[in-house]
Amino acid sequence: MTELSNQQTLSTPMINIDDRSDRMAQLIAEAADERKGSDIVLLKVGEVTVLADYFVMVTGYSKVQVRAIARSIEDKLEETLNLRPIRSEGFADGSWIVEDYGDVIVHIMMPQEREYYGLESFWGHAAQVPFGEL
């Protein structure tokens, strides 16, 4: 390795995977909040499953709002991190949209679906991170 390439290697900042997941979850929560998403919960599930590092749960009070929250999240992550969801489901119905970003999975639900499925209870053993504290 040459002297120059050694310096470049040492001066290149390394991005910690946890920091990236934390940042992504925070941006998702901010985007949801900007569209008046309610009851925003960030669950740090990385310690209890290999599915993702975070689940972000958001409530929207109409199908139009649920879709608007999902689009806001997509726009924010594409603008700031150049990320698009790996997969999205539920846009057609609009009562529960799931967006998979790999490290973070987002659930945007109407109140009835959120109460019925109780994902926070199901993943209750995961640490809950208050929105704004990452």
Side-chain angles (χ1 to χ4, degrees):
M1 189 179 281
T2 67
E3 184 66 35
L4 180 58
S5 64
N6 192 24
Q7 281 182 322
Q8 288 172 335
T9 302
L10 293 176
S11 65
T12 303
M14 297 296 288
I15 297 174
N16 186 329
I17 298 296
D18 289 336
D19 293 343
R20 183 174 151 227
S21 298
D22 292 347
R23 173 109 170 100
M24 195 183 320
Q26 185 65 40
L27 287 169
I28 288 166
E30 288 172 9
D33 189 53
E34 289 167 6
R35 290 286 175 251
K36 308 297 184 212
S38 183
D39 302 322
I40 299 170
V41 174
L42 290 79
L43 294 177
K44 194 164 187 162
V45 296
E47 298 293 320
V48 296
T49 184
V50 296
L51 294 175
D53 292 333
Y54 281 94
F55 285 171
V56 179
M57 262 57 108
V58 183
T59 298
Y61 291 99
S62 70
K63 292 180 179 188
V64 171
Q65 185 187 21
V66 169
R67 289 185 192 106
I69 292 167
R71 286 191 192 98
S72 177
I73 291 167
E74 287 179 5
D75 291 346
K76 188 163 199 125
L77 288 184
E78 187 167 13
E79 289 171 13
T80 57
L81 300 177
N82 198 29
L83 282 175
R84 300 283 302 154
I86 297 166
R87 187 160 175 94
S88 295
E89 290 291 332
F91 268 95
D93 179 52
S95 60
W96 180 359
I97 295 176
V98 178
E99 295 192 307
D100 182 355
Y101 286 93
D103 296 335
V104 181
I105 298 175
V106 187
H107 298 271
I108 310 149
M109 298 172 265
M110 298 277 290
Q112 301 88 339
E113 283 76 7
R114 188 158 178 180
E115 184 179 336
Y116 181 80
Y117 289 102
L119 294 180
E120 289 98 333
S121 298
F122 185 78
W123 294 100
H125 49 293
Q128 188 168 335
V129 179
F131 169 48
E133 290 192 13
L134 289 177

